[in-house]
């Protein structure tokens, strides 16, 4: 089953785009909390409050994103959410230290990062389920789990090393990598990620 998944060209293209997209989200997600604390001097209580606001934003919007994904297709929503997420690192790059002085800008940046990241995961998981044939669910899902886990695990480690050794420049590089990766992934999703009608009763309608 794993071998069949690995030689499925359409699935592997989708997998590579997904890994690339996840790294883009992780460059930002792994660095912004430390950036708030160490560079902008945001207190821990405010950091926790911002995290709570991000969670609330996800709670209030995730249902709408799920419906939009069903109506528009996974590829389009993946592209749109990645493009929207790329605004968050740009705000930190452009705003610099002044971001901490303008609370609205700080909240907006964190909300954008959290909400559109969660919306992307709704779309990409639907896309994955749509790519999986009934007779090979285990193999395809196992390959998906391993590859995405690597992306989730390796990117924060690399980001941590960059920040530790380069300091402020390391944070800026992480934000630049996040912007460049998510924008590139957005274009790739538009071109290559399409729903597949490979079975009658798929997981996406369960």
């Amino acid at each position: 089953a794993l071998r069949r998944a690995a030689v499925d060209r359409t699935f592997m293209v989708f997998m590579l785009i997904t890994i690339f997209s996840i790294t883009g989200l992780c460059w930002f997600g792994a660095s912004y909390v430390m950036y708030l604390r160490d560079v902008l001097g945001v207190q821990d209580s405010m950091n926790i409050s911002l995290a709570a606001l991000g969670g609330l934003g996800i709670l209030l919007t995730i249902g709408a994103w799920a419906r939009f994904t069903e109506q528009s297709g996974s590829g389009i929503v993946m592209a749109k959410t990645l493009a929207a997420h790329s605004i968050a690192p740009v705000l930190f790059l452009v705003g610099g230290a002044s971001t901490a002085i303008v609370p609205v800008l700080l909240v907006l940046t964190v909300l954008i990062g959290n909400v559109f990241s969660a919306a992307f995961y709704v779309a990409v998981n639907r896309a994955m389920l749509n790519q999986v044939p009934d007779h090979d669910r285990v193999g395809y899902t196992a390959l998906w789990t391993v590859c995405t886990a690597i992306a989730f695990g390796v990117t924060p480690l690399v980001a941590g090393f960059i920040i530790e050794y380069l300091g402020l420049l390391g944070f800026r590089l992480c934000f630049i990598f996040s912007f460049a990766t998510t924008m590139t992934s957005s274009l790739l999703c538009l071109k290559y990620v399409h729903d597949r009608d490979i079975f009658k009763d798929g997981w996406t309608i369960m």
Side-chain angles (χ1 to χ4, degrees):
L2 280 171
R3 184 179 299 175
R4 286 192 292 272
V7 298
D8 184 338
R9 184 178 182 277
T10 301
F11 182 74
M12 290 308 298
V13 169
F14 165 72
M15 179 73 70
L16 291 173
I17 293 173
T18 298
I19 292 171
F20 194 57
S21 303
I22 289 173
T23 61
L25 299 177
C26 286
W27 282 119
F28 180 79
S31 58
Y32 87 88
V33 173
M34 292 186 292
Y35 182 77
L36 292 176
R37 183 194 64 193
D38 298 339
V39 178
L40 300 186
V42 175
Q43 295 182 349
D44 290 340
S45 58
M46 177 60 74
N47 254 326
I48 294 172
S49 298
L50 288 170
L53 282 175
L56 180 61
I58 293 171
L59 178 65
L60 295 176
T61 59
I62 204 69
W65 279 111
R67 290 189 295 272
F68 182 58
T69 303
E70 288 292 342
Q71 295 170 0
S72 304
S74 302
I76 293 175
V77 177
M78 288 169 64
K80 289 185 176 181
T81 52
L82 287 169
H85 182 278
S86 68
I87 297 172
V90 170
L91 288 176
F92 275 151
L93 283 169
V94 174
S98 64
T99 310
I101 303 174
V102 185
V104 174
L105 185 58
L106 196 61
V107 171
L108 180 63
T109 305
V110 173
L111 278 176
I112 288 173
N114 281 271
V115 168
F116 289 108
S117 176
F120 168 80
Y121 292 126
V122 169
V124 76
N125 279 286
R126 178 187 181 276
M128 187 278 289
L129 296 176
N130 190 263
Q131 299 278 333
V132 177
D134 284 342
H135 59 279
D136 274 336
R137 288 179 175 179
V138 174
Y140 277 70
T141 307
L143 186 60
W144 161 269
T145 302
V146 171
C147 291
T148 54
I150 292 172
F152 279 119
V154 172
T155 311
L157 287 175
V158 177
F161 281 119
I162 292 174
I163 291 169
E164 180 178 358
Y165 287 104
L166 298 180
L168 179 58
L169 176 60
F171 283 112
R172 290 173 176 167
L173 286 175
C174 287
F175 295 147
I176 291 171
F177 292 159
S178 178
F179 169 76
T181 308
T182 50
M183 283 303 298
T184 304
S185 299
S186 176
L187 297 175
L188 291 172
C189 288
L190 279 178
K191 184 174 178 62
Y192 293 108
V193 179
H194 307 287
D195 292 341
R196 300 171 72 183
D197 186 17
I198 55 179
F199 44 83
K200 293 182 180 179
D201 295 321
W203 293 6
T204 56
I205 61 174
M206 292 175 66

